[in-house]
Amino acid sequence: MRHVKWGLTVGLLMLALGFLGSGMTALAKRTDQTVTFGQLTAKNPKRLAAIRQAARQQVLKQAKVKGASKIEAVYQVKLPTHMTKKATLTVAGLQMNLLANRFKVKRITIPYSRLKGKVVNRYLPKANRTKRVKTTKMVALTFDDGPDPKLTPRLLKTLKKYHVHATFFEVGQSVARYPKISRAVLAGGNELGNHSWNHPNFNQIGTAKTVSQVNRTNRAIYQATGTLPQYVRPPYGNITATEGRAIEQPVVRWSVDSRDWAYLNSRKDINEVMKDTHGGDIVLMHDIHPQSVAAVPTIIKRLKAKGYKLVTVSQLLNDHALPGLQYFGAHDYRTTGK
């Protein structure tokens, strides 16, 4: 009799689990939702441009691209430009169908983590939604013109020692020469940005060459790290509105210029940063001058003593940076070219 009862109990349990399993499957299916890009972006074309950039990263990942020529080809893939086009919200991410392309990828699924701040919050899982952040005690340190084979690793050790993360805007030809250092930048919890291939003045070379400079550097960074950089910092801060639209990446400028390239003096670098820096600022420095790198420990300690938290550009901007805009600080953004 006990065996009969046990058998019935097991049978009922398995039946219940079967119903539960089918219910969970049905629930998973019901989570799929067809939406337009107009809904996802609140009809904001800059948000749609950000989704296209995330889509390029996903195409490269799914196609397992390594060759340089194929990385360049990702910019030829036809991606949505109209708000009426549709995509699907799935458990794994935003699913998009693609037209025929060189990569032979018919469908991509962009993880929601890459769409934070780019898609309207209500269409994202709670874990990937942006929340309001107080930037009055946040400062972003940024470093241009690297990677340098000696100074950048030294700077990374300093950042690690003081538990600080920063954003590095790197020159493409140096990334190609020292890819291990670019990987080390990311491995340390920092972020990488695009600072052109060989540092020309974009305003003097025209849109086509500017796009080539940016794409070539994106390619170098992808080859080195397996990821496309989100931001571009134009050399000398110069970029036209046409160029800004063409590159489809947020432009990051600065609100505090250390002028370390002019001083080449650690004490002056420290004084310049400390007298001008306030909450929400983006500080411009360089990791190619030994005096600049030597000044960083003191700058970090003094800013921390004033109660500032040192963060990446993404953290300062709360992941809301969009293509077609240039960002000078936490709450200071303008259309590119102005």
Side-chain angles (χ1 to χ4, degrees):
M1 189 68 179
R2 290 181 179 177
H3 292 294
V4 173
K5 288 183 178 179
W6 176 250
L8 287 171
T9 301
V10 172
L12 289 170
L13 180 61
M14 291 179 69
L15 184 62
L17 288 173
F19 279 122
L20 181 60
S22 62
M24 290 178 70
T25 302
L27 180 61
K29 288 181 179 178
R30 285 200 298 271
T31 60
D32 289 0
Q33 178 186 358
T34 300
V35 291
T36 66
F37 285 101
Q39 291 174 304
L40 289 173
T41 65
K43 297 185 178 180
N44 184 334
K46 293 179 174 61
R47 285 182 182 264
L48 183 53
I51 294 175
R52 286 196 294 270
Q53 184 65 359
R56 294 183 185 104
Q57 171 73 49
Q58 192 60 30
V59 169
L60 293 172
K61 182 178 180 180
Q62 288 186 205
K64 298 179 180 180
V65 171
K66 294 183 179 180
S69 61
K70 285 191 175 182
I71 295 171
E72 192 79 15
V74 77
Y75 294 95
Q76 307 304 318
V77 175
K78 297 293 183 182
L79 295 170
T81 57
H82 298 290
M83 295 297 177
T84 55
K85 296 294 183 181
K86 296 179 180 179
T88 304
L89 298 171
T90 71
V91 173
L94 180 66
Q95 190 177 90
M96 298 167 51
N97 295 322
L98 302 181
L99 296 175
N101 57 77
R102 181 175 175 180
F103 301 95
K104 299 181 180 179
V105 175
K106 296 181 179 180
R107 177 182 294 169
I108 60 172
T109 301
I110 307 172
Y112 292 118
S113 59
R114 291 190 173 274
L115 297 171
K116 185 177 181 180
K118 282 64 179 173
V119 167
V120 176
N121 259 349
R122 67 176 175 272
Y123 294 106
L124 295 172
K126 288 184 179 179
N128 301 114
R129 295 177 184 177
T130 56
K131 300 176 182 178
R132 290 185 179 181
V133 296
K134 292 183 179 180
T135 59
T136 53
K137 284 296 182 179
M138 296 172 65
V139 171
L141 295 180
T142 66
F143 299 92
D144 284 10
D145 294 354
D148 181 273
K150 293 182 180 180
L151 297 177
T152 304
R154 187 184 305 172
L155 176 57
L156 291 176
K157 288 182 180 179
T158 296
L159 297 177
K160 182 178 180 180
K161 177 180 178 180
Y162 292 101
H163 307 288
V164 166
H165 296 138
T167 303
F168 291 74
F169 290 94
E170 298 192 332
V171 175
Q173 62 182 6
S174 296
V175 175
R177 194 173 299 139
Y178 309 112
K180 289 184 179 180
I181 300 177
S182 295
R183 289 194 289 272
V185 169
L186 291 183
N190 307 288
E191 62 185 0
L192 283 178
N194 183 318
H195 195 43
S196 82
W197 178 256
N198 59 1
H199 213 277
N201 186 332
F202 287 172
N203 284 359
Q204 296 177 358
I205 64 174
T207 301
K209 289 184 178 179
T210 292
V211 170
S212 177
Q213 284 271 329
V214 171
N215 288 352
R216 193 176 180 186
T217 302
N218 283 348
R219 181 178 67 193
I221 291 175
Y222 185 87
Q223 283 186 286
T225 67
T227 185
L228 291 172
Q230 182 176 355
Y231 308 116
V232 170
R233 173 172 280 169
Y236 316 105
N238 293 334
I239 189 167
T240 67
T242 302
E243 291 163 351
R245 287 191 297 269
I247 63 176
E248 285 203 340
Q249 290 173 249
V251 171
V252 174
R253 298 279 294 278
W254 56 87
S255 50
V256 176
D257 186 352
S258 67
R259 291 186 57 79
D260 55 348
W261 57 271
Y263 297 135
L264 298 178
N265 181 294
S266 296
R267 181 173 295 181
K268 287 185 177 181
D269 296 342
I270 294 166
N271 292 339
E272 196 70 30
V273 171
M274 294 309 302
K275 76 180 180 68
D276 291 335
T277 300
H278 300 90
D281 277 334
I282 296 175
V283 180
L284 169 63
M285 297 188 71
H286 297 79
D287 56 333
I288 59 169
H289 305 305
Q291 299 88 345
S292 303
V293 173
V296 172
T298 300
I299 289 172
I300 290 175
K301 286 186 285 188
R302 291 189 182 181
L303 287 174
K304 280 190 169 186
K306 288 190 172 186
Y308 291 115
K309 181 180 179 181
L310 303 177
V311 298
T312 64
V313 166
S314 290
Q315 290 172 313
L316 186 74
L317 300 180
N318 198 21
D319 295 303
H320 279 104
L322 298 175
L325 297 174
Q326 54 182 337
Y327 296 82
F328 295 79
H331 304 291
D332 183 0
Y333 60 90
R334 314 163 201 175
T335 303
T336 50
K338 293 183 180 180

